[in-house]
Amino acid sequence: EAGVAQSPRYKIIEKRQSVAFWCNPISGHATLYWYQQILGQGPKLLIQFQNNGVVDDSQLPKDRFSAERLKGVDSTLKIQPAKLEDSAVYLCASSPALPGTDTQYFGPGTRLTVL
Amino acid sequence: AQSVSQHNHHVILSEAASLELGCNYSYGGTVNLFWYVQYPGQHLQLLLKYFSGDPLVKGIKGFEAEFIKSKFSFNLRKPSVQWSDTAEYFCAVNADNDMRFGAGTRLTVKP
């Protein structure tokens, strides 16, 4: 079974630029999550989708972050414009069941550096 | 909002030593509890989870965790660690679809 795929693996941008990350979950997984992991901290949930609907985005900084999962499969997370404090690893995870009730399978992450 | 606390940032043990990593959370309602592990160069993966039933749960690689509701704790244990257990360990709590992770504990096992 293929795992969660993410791209790119690394990205370096300057502040005020825009960036987008892509995630393809495990086939058949209805729930998809985006996390931000700052160095030395645990993952912080940004947004979770059930199919193509948003279950929770209470911790997503909506003035600069946006995410979509249009067809209920893959998803993109965008930052526009980026700030220095956005430097982090962005993790995508998926799970087969209802949000929060089952194991989450994580991708390798995208390491973002904002200069 | 709920929070998750992991008491130790870095633990160093010798092989065959016993391990206990602390995890406490602040939420009074029903919770689902997880321990995830990240080995060097690998993805986060599930070690074990607790949803209901027996509060002592067993996971992969000889790990276990005990849910103590009165203490809001879900500590991770292993009776005898191996060098291959060197990794970062994250406790996570889900309540009402609000998933929170602790800051993680880095475990270094010396051969």
Side-chain angles (χ1 to χ4, degrees):
Chain A
E1 178 181 75
V4 176
Q6 290 188 248
S7 68
R9 292 294 309 277
Y10 304 91
K11 189 74 177 177
I12 301 173
I13 62 173
E14 295 191 348
K15 60 182 179 183
R16 291 188 288 274
Q17 286 187 320
S18 301
V19 65
F21 313 126
W22 175 82
C23 171
N24 189 269
I26 292 172
S27 178
H29 280 195
T31 311
L32 185 147
Y33 311 79
W34 281 103
Y35 290 88
Q36 178 194 60
Q37 186 175 16
I38 293 172
L39 187 64
Q41 300 180 18
K44 172 188 168 185
L45 181 65
L46 294 175
I47 188 168
Q48 54 178 317
F49 294 93
Q50 174 82 356
N51 297 311
N52 61 347
V54 175
V55 173
D56 179 49
D57 63 357
S58 56
Q59 298 191 85
L60 186 74
K62 297 180 186 64
D63 58 334
R64 298 185 299 108
F65 286 65
S66 64
E68 59 183 15
R69 193 185 184 199
L70 292 176
K71 297 182 179 179
V73 181
D74 56 352
S75 175
T76 55
L77 176 70
K78 296 178 182 177
I79 307 175
Q80 181 179 8
K83 293 185 175 181
L84 296 176
E85 58 262 36
D86 298 331
S87 293
V89 175
Y90 290 84
L91 297 168
C92 179
S94 69
S95 75
L98 291 172
T101 62
D102 209 337
T103 302
Q104 295 183 24
Y105 297 82
F106 284 83
T110 296
R111 184 176 298 276
L112 173 67
T113 301
V114 182
L115 303 176
Chain B
Q2 63 166 331
S3 64
V4 181
S5 298
Q6 291 185 241
H7 313 302
N8 311 101
H9 294 293
H10 190 191
V11 173
I12 303 173
L13 297 173
S14 297
E15 276 193 315
S18 64
L19 170 72
E20 181 160 3
L21 300 181
C23 173
N24 285 88
Y25 63 93
S26 63
Y27 186 77
T30 302
V31 294
N32 296 327
L33 301 161
F34 308 82
W35 276 97
Y36 281 85
V37 60
Q38 188 165 27
Y39 297 103
Q42 296 188 25
H43 309 175
L44 271 168
Q45 58 185 282
L46 183 73
L47 203 53
L48 49 78
K49 61 185 177 183
Y50 172 81
F51 290 162
S52 62
D54 188 345
L56 184 62
V57 293
K58 296 190 184 299
I60 60 172
K61 304 186 180 184
F63 285 90
E64 64 179 32
E66 185 176 13
F67 170 49
I68 302 179
K69 189 174 181 179
S70 61
K71 294 184 178 180
F72 299 91
S73 70
F74 190 55
N75 293 353
L76 180 72
R77 299 195 292 249
K78 185 171 184 179
S80 176
V81 295
Q82 301 173 320
W83 175 80
S84 58
D85 294 324
T86 294
E88 186 137 21
Y89 293 81
F90 294 92
C91 179
V93 178
N94 186 290
D96 297 330
N97 292 327
D98 183 7
M99 184 78 162
R100 303 276 174 149
F101 280 78
T105 297
R106 185 156 58 102
L107 172 66
T108 301
V109 180
K110 295 183 175 180

